[in-house]
Amino acid sequence: MRRGRHETPAGEQRSVLADETEGYLLAHAQRDQAQREAEDLCARMAWLTTAQAEELTGHYVRRRLDVTRQLMLGTVRRAEELRQEYESRYAGLRRALLRRHAAGACAVLACAAGVSALAGVLTR
């Protein structure tokens, strides 16, 4: 799941509605999967009454969704940490590259000035 708006490779803004829909569909798929797993578990326990099976299914689905939510939040936090690390590293590399280009341009200008001064001295 994504937070807010992010630019796509084509430069278009993703809508918040699309992000929310994606999140809803992912959560719904997780709930359906948990429901199926709980029903399979209850089917293997034939001695459970209908009420017990429903209670166990509800508890399993809630617990499973809690675990899934925690995993997703952890993934989102880690992704944000990595994004911050990569952005700071990228900014540092850009600064270093800018310094190198500035130093190279200064060296070229100094050489040009030296050649110009030498040419002026030699033509006199």
Side-chain angles (χ1 to χ4, degrees):
M1 291 189 298
R2 295 174 195 88
R3 287 188 177 172
R5 294 180 166 223
H6 297 279
E7 290 197 24
T8 60
E12 299 175 6
Q13 293 285 333
R14 289 186 54 103
S15 73
V16 173
L17 180 60
D19 289 342
E20 288 177 1
T21 302
E22 180 185 18
Y24 171 80
L25 292 173
L26 286 170
H28 193 68
Q30 287 293 318
R31 190 189 64 72
D32 287 346
Q33 178 67 29
Q35 183 76 30
R36 282 190 299 273
E37 290 174 6
E39 289 170 356
D40 289 344
L41 176 66
C42 290
R44 285 183 263 150
M45 293 189 243
W47 63 87
L48 292 176
T49 65
T50 304
Q52 290 172 328
E54 288 174 2
E55 184 180 343
L56 180 61
T57 299
H59 177 72
Y60 181 88
V61 169
R62 282 189 304 277
R63 183 67 187 131
R64 168 78 185 281
L65 291 179
D66 288 343
V67 169
T68 301
R69 185 177 298 112
Q70 292 303 315
L71 288 171
M72 291 180 118
L73 290 173
T75 301
V76 167
R77 277 192 298 272
R78 182 63 181 144
E80 182 64 25
E81 290 171 4
L82 288 173
R83 187 177 67 78
Q84 292 295 329
E85 288 176 24
Y86 288 136
E87 284 180 356
S88 65
R89 178 68 177 145
Y90 178 72
L93 291 172
R94 283 183 60 187
R95 284 190 298 274
L97 184 63
L98 180 62
R99 281 193 302 270
R100 289 178 186 146
H101 277 85
C106 289
V108 167
L109 287 174
C111 288
V115 168
S116 175
L118 183 62
V121 169
L122 292 177
T123 57
R124 286 189 184 175

